[in-house]
Amino acid sequence: MISCLSLSSYSFCEKIALKKYRRCEKTGCIKRPQVVSGAKKDGFGLRVFVLSDLHTDYPENMAWVRSLSTKRHDKDVLLVAGDVAEMYDNFILTMSLLKERFEYVFFVPGNHDLWCRWETEDFDSLEKLNKLLDACKQLGVETNPAVIDGLGIIPLFSWYHESFDREDDIVGVRIPSLDMACKDFHACKWPGNLSNRDTSLALYFDSMNEKNQNTVKQIQSTCRQIITFSHFVPRQELCPEKRMLFYPNLPKIIGSDWLEDRIRSIHGVESSSFACHVFGHTHFCWDAVVDGIRYVQAPLAYPRERKRRMNGGETWLPFCIYLDGEFGAKVMPCYWSDYYAINPRTPSNTELAPWVARFYNLI
């Protein structure tokens, strides 16, 4: 069970700020600031940082967010690719802290953001989504496409569907069902016409992007460089093969074909060195070019996962994807995308990797 922060975990100033936000939320006194095309300041070019899967219901992760400098990024952009926090109050606090540290913050929701297990109010996951989007407006966090210093930034709403997985399944071992392995099936609450068991959620979330089509077309016509970002995975090649995974059925709950179609409609089918898509969800650090688009994942992830990383991620997160008119060089330690840069992907091979085989022999 996730160890969630209580109000007692907040500092005195954070408690006051949260209470003030609650009052303004009820009275509607907070006005939404406009995100506009900015100019270079103090001789420095625009910097864009990316981060996903903050999971600040874990006290260690909330402490990491608090530890970010309040001065180093005060002219920068941060793209948050979902899974900020399960608890609404933790979401508000996290986004407030990030907005204090970065000039511009963009956000798309992840699955954990829409869990309803511990909320005091009785709402379903779509109602919670609207509540989060309203909170972002009030906090000055952007969820719509915008242009900053000539760079197009396009958040994309998405959800996964099981048919996204087209690779051979692992057989011969007892793999837990999706219902058992994925808490979304129990922690999310959907209206009757939407379900995790078909494509309805993936189609619903993709349709949310239609309202921004005119803005996207304007960005396409005026911006040479565009960054799109989502929480979920647009291509199965951006996840290790099933035989490498402790939960081999993971690809069934990570991605959307409609998301990749939308990315290609924005960047172009062949794309170019000016195209980048940022994603999250699987907690694998990733940096690879596939069919002309650079795909990047820079997850904070769970504390136990971070302990297994080089430097825990503290020295390279958030990751700078764009600096002064150019996409940044690859500097993250990305074990799996580095592996596939030199080894072919062979999804027809369903023999479990030794570390996975040992795991299933123990259960």
Side-chain angles (χ1 to χ4, degrees):
M1 181 181 294
I2 290 178
S3 175
C4 298
L5 296 177
S6 66
L7 193 60
S8 61
S9 302
Y10 299 162
S11 70
F12 177 75
C13 291
E14 289 168 348
K15 291 178 185 178
I16 296 298
L18 188 58
K19 289 179 179 179
K20 182 178 179 181
Y21 174 83
R22 288 290 200 183
R23 287 197 301 271
C24 291
E25 182 183 37
K26 292 179 180 178
T27 61
C29 65
I30 301 178
K31 302 300 181 182
R32 180 185 183 184
Q34 293 293 315
V35 172
V36 298
S37 297
K40 293 183 180 180
K41 302 177 181 180
D42 300 331
F44 293 99
L46 179 70
R47 297 195 303 179
V48 179
F49 291 80
V50 297
L51 186 63
S52 72
D53 303 281
L54 283 78
H55 295 291
T56 55
D57 297 303
Y58 287 92
E60 301 97 317
N61 286 17
M62 185 68 84
W64 183 89
V65 173
R66 287 187 175 113
S67 72
L68 292 173
S69 171
T70 56
K71 296 181 179 179
R72 180 182 177 188
H73 298 294
D74 61 354
K75 300 183 181 100
D76 297 334
V77 178
L78 177 67
L79 310 184
V80 182
D83 275 5
V84 172
E86 175 183 354
M87 299 290 288
Y88 178 74
D89 283 352
N90 288 342
F91 177 89
I92 296 299
L93 176 58
T94 305
M95 300 309 286
S96 299
L97 291 170
L98 293 175
K99 194 65 182 69
E100 289 173 359
R101 286 153 173 77
F102 290 82
E103 182 171 6
Y104 300 109
V105 178
F106 287 74
F107 165 76
V108 290
N111 49 316
H112 283 249
D113 299 313
L114 304 187
W115 286 7
C116 300
R117 295 188 303 173
W118 310 113
E119 302 297 353
T120 55
E121 299 180 48
D122 184 20
F123 44 61
D124 64 30
S125 293
L126 284 189
E127 291 170 330
K128 184 174 184 184
L129 171 62
N130 290 328
K131 191 176 177 68
L132 296 181
L133 295 180
D134 287 343
C136 286
K137 291 178 183 179
Q138 295 173 354
L139 292 169
V141 173
E142 191 55 64
T143 59
N144 293 309
V147 177
I148 302 178
D149 283 346
L151 174 69
I153 299 175
I154 303 178
L156 293 175
F157 294 91
S158 60
W159 200 265
Y160 57 82
H161 57 97
E162 186 174 342
S163 54
F164 172 78
D165 170 28
R166 295 184 180 86
E167 296 183 350
D168 293 347
D169 284 332
I170 301 297
V171 297
V173 294
R174 297 184 63 180
I175 301 172
S177 67
L178 295 180
D179 291 49
M180 291 181 62
C182 180
K183 292 182 181 178
D184 295 345
F185 286 84
H186 311 287
C188 290
K189 297 194 298 185
W190 302 109
N193 61 325
L194 296 176
S195 172
N196 263 4
R197 303 179 188 282
D198 54 32
T199 61
S200 58
L201 278 169
L203 286 167
Y204 179 88
F205 277 86
D206 181 67
S207 70
M208 291 179 64
N209 299 305
E210 289 297 321
K211 66 181 175 64
N212 292 320
Q213 277 304 93
N214 289 336
T215 305
V216 170
K217 289 178 181 178
Q218 291 174 358
I219 290 175
Q220 288 176 298
S221 65
T222 59
C223 296
R224 185 174 67 102
Q225 296 163 309
I226 297 175
I227 300 176
T228 54
F229 74 104
S230 64
H231 177 65
F232 295 102
V233 181
R235 301 177 66 111
Q236 195 162 354
E237 303 99 305
L238 304 176
C239 180
E241 299 156 77
K242 293 179 182 178
R243 66 191 182 92
M244 307 289 197
L245 301 169
F246 285 109
Y247 184 60
N249 284 339
L250 180 68
K252 301 180 187 302
I253 49 175
I254 63 171
S256 166
D257 294 329
W258 291 281
L259 173 60
E260 174 67 1
D261 289 345
R262 195 165 290 275
I263 292 168
R264 292 286 156 177
S265 74
I266 294 170
H267 292 293
V269 176
E270 295 181 357
S271 199
S272 70
S273 60
F274 305 125
C276 180
H277 183 80
V278 175
F279 64 101
H281 189 53
T282 58
H283 295 197
F284 296 118
C285 298
W286 209 278
D287 194 342
V289 176
V290 182
D291 292 342
I293 294 179
R294 184 180 179 183
Y295 293 90
V296 175
Q297 181 176 193
L300 183 61
Y302 299 133
R304 65 179 181 274
E305 294 172 323
R306 213 158 53 251
K307 289 177 181 178
R308 298 196 293 265
R309 292 181 186 166
M310 184 184 302
N311 299 323
E314 278 77 2
T315 60
W316 45 265
L317 286 176
F319 176 55
C320 184
I321 193 67
Y322 183 90
L323 173 63
D324 198 14
E326 301 292 339
F327 285 110
K330 178 184 172 185
V331 295
M332 281 192 300
C334 300
Y335 178 85
W336 281 112
S337 58
D338 289 347
Y339 173 85
Y340 286 113
I342 58 176
N343 294 283
R345 186 180 179 87
T346 56
S348 59
N349 180 357
T350 58
E351 182 180 352
L352 293 177
W355 61 88
V356 181
R358 285 196 297 269
F359 173 77
Y360 279 95
N361 286 337
L362 292 174
I363 61 175

